Amino acid sequence: MSQQAVLPMRAQKASESPIYKILFIIGLCHLLNDAIQAVIPAMFPILERSMGLSFTQLGVIAFSLNMVSSVMQPMVGFLTDKKPMPYALPIGLSFTLVGILGLGFASSFGTIVLSVLFIGLGSAVFHPEGSRVAYMAAGSRRGLAQSIYQVGGNTGQALAPVITALILVPLGQIGASWFTIVAALAVILLIYIANWYNQRLKTTPNPASMKRTSLGKKKGLSKEVKNTLALILLLIFARTWYTSGITNFYTFYVIKEYALTIKESQVFLFAFLLSGAIGTFFGGPLSDRFGKKNIISFSMLASVPFSILIPHVPPTMAFIFLILTGFILMTSFSVTVVYAQELVPGKIGTMSGLTVGLAFGMGAIGSVGLGYIADWIGLQSMITWLGVLPLLGLLAFLLPTDQKVWEWNQK
């Protein structure tokens, strides 16, 4: 049934197998990159106490990190679609290394913002090219390959509570500087990836250009494709605002409402992020089997009952509902990337930068907006209203089927 919708796209490459070694290494690099980024929100409770920062200032820090990524990612993807840049990967992580070192020794709010700008710049360079590497190594299993790549990033984000409990609480802000070791390891691994990537370009046509000639015959994107792309971005908006609210502010909520310590509150956040990482992994293979539209629709709507109830139940039930919400909601994370890449063939980096970069950008705007709302109407009310955002997932039913997307690309 729904499997038939994905068969046409896979028919020409049915004999190709994924290059798992490359996929696992780029996934590990994604884990290391995003673990470094996770240090920033993980430090929020510490910075709030040690520097007396408001929720709005914490939102500005998150905004500074994520907005640079969101603005730069589509630009990097657009440039590398024209001319792939294998060695941009280790260079980008070098910016991150400088940023995390600065964060560990920052003595003012302004210095913190400057440091996270460097980290955001490194992320902007890494993500589109990392996604391209996953595409090149995918063979016929694009959903699976993108899941392996993206689950690395989401697992890195899930490490934030562990980082807080084991490193930042005992060591304080200076503990962030220890992550220069993590950044250095990522740079070394990415040099290996860049060498493979460079050799691949010499022996195989640029995967982003395989369908570019047929795309170039068209006068830009059709109205249907533009509308579908806008719909995908709106769904990403809803998903990311929700996850941003939970990631940045839910620990404050459980500390206040359930009288938990910082370490205890991190268990809730870890459960949400880890279940989200697991959901990310399963989303890709499920979309290869059941279709991308079906998985995107399921991930948005099936999470609604749990997200609405989380603020109204006792701590044990809230913990369980957080796990369920994280798993279900994030099954669509890698799927939306592949959907957009197949919606606009030949623009692998641009679509990756737009979908993943926009997710960071929406998270940036959401961090500031939700922080302001929390200061204005109270943290409890903000968390309560946050739970209705996944209802926007009803719009997923308007997405064209995988079969329809394939037919558009044959015209």
Side-chain angles (χ1 to χ4, degrees), residues 244-324:
S244 175
I246 295 295
T247 301
N248 291 319
F249 301 110
Y250 189 71
T251 53
F252 295 103
Y253 177 84
V254 297
I255 288 171
K256 180 180 179 181
E257 297 298 320
Y258 303 145
L260 301 181
T261 65
I262 292 179
K263 283 188 176 181
E264 291 169 338
S265 71
Q266 299 303 306
V267 176
F268 281 74
L269 183 56
F270 178 70
F272 176 77
L273 294 174
L274 182 61
S275 63
I278 297 171
T280 298
F281 175 77
F282 280 101
L286 287 173
S287 72
D288 285 337
R289 180 173 178 81
F290 297 108
K292 298 170 190 65
K293 175 184 175 178
N294 293 336
I295 297 302
I296 293 171
S297 302
F298 167 80
S299 76
M300 297 297 295
L301 294 179
S303 63
V304 170
F306 307 112
S307 66
I308 289 177
L309 289 173
I310 284 172
H312 306 289
V313 295
T316 302
M317 291 301 299
F319 184 80
I320 295 172
F321 287 174
L322 272 174
I323 292 174
L324 293 172

Side-chain angles (χ1 to χ4, degrees), residues 127-253:
H127 281 97
E129 284 298 84
S131 185
R132 189 190 309 279
V133 168
Y135 185 95
M136 293 172 71
S140 61
R141 303 292 303 278
R142 293 179 186 173
L144 173 63
Q146 197 63 224
S147 282
I148 293 173
Y149 170 66
Q150 297 293 353
V151 77
N154 287 350
T155 302
Q157 295 170 23
L159 292 175
V162 178
I163 291 168
T164 300
L166 299 182
I167 300 176
L168 298 180
V169 169
L171 297 180
Q173 182 181 342
I174 192 69
S177 63
W178 284 90
F179 286 85
T180 55
I181 299 172
V182 176
L185 175 60
V187 170
I188 293 170
L189 290 172
L190 287 173
I191 291 174
Y192 174 84
I193 288 288
N195 287 330
W196 174 86
Y197 183 174
N198 192 47
Q199 290 300 316
R200 184 84 168 184
L201 290 177
K202 292 178 181 179
T203 58
T204 308
N206 176 15
S209 67
M210 289 180 180
K211 294 184 180 179
R212 188 181 295 155
T213 53
S214 63
L215 186 66
K217 296 176 183 178
K218 302 177 184 179
K219 302 299 182 180
L221 300 178
S222 67
K223 181 179 179 181
E224 292 88 351
V225 170
K226 289 180 180 178
N227 290 340
T228 303
L229 188 58
L231 193 56
I232 278 288
L233 297 182
L234 184 58
L235 292 170
I236 292 173
F237 163 86
R239 184 187 67 208
T240 306
W241 265 56
Y242 181 81
T243 56
S244 175
I246 295 295
T247 301
N248 291 319
F249 301 110
Y250 189 71
T251 53
F252 295 103
Y253 177 84

Side-chain angles (χ1 to χ4, degrees), residues 84-134:
M85 303 176 188
Y87 292 97
L89 286 164
I91 292 172
L93 256 293
S94 297
F95 282 107
T96 299
L97 190 154
V98 172
I100 196 65
L101 184 63
L103 184 64
F105 293 96
S107 58
S108 66
F109 174 70
T111 309
I112 290 173
V113 171
L114 180 62
S115 297
V116 301
L117 288 175
F118 272 90
I119 296 172
L121 180 59
S123 177
V125 174
F126 172 80
H127 281 97
E129 284 298 84
S131 185
R132 189 190 309 279
V133 168

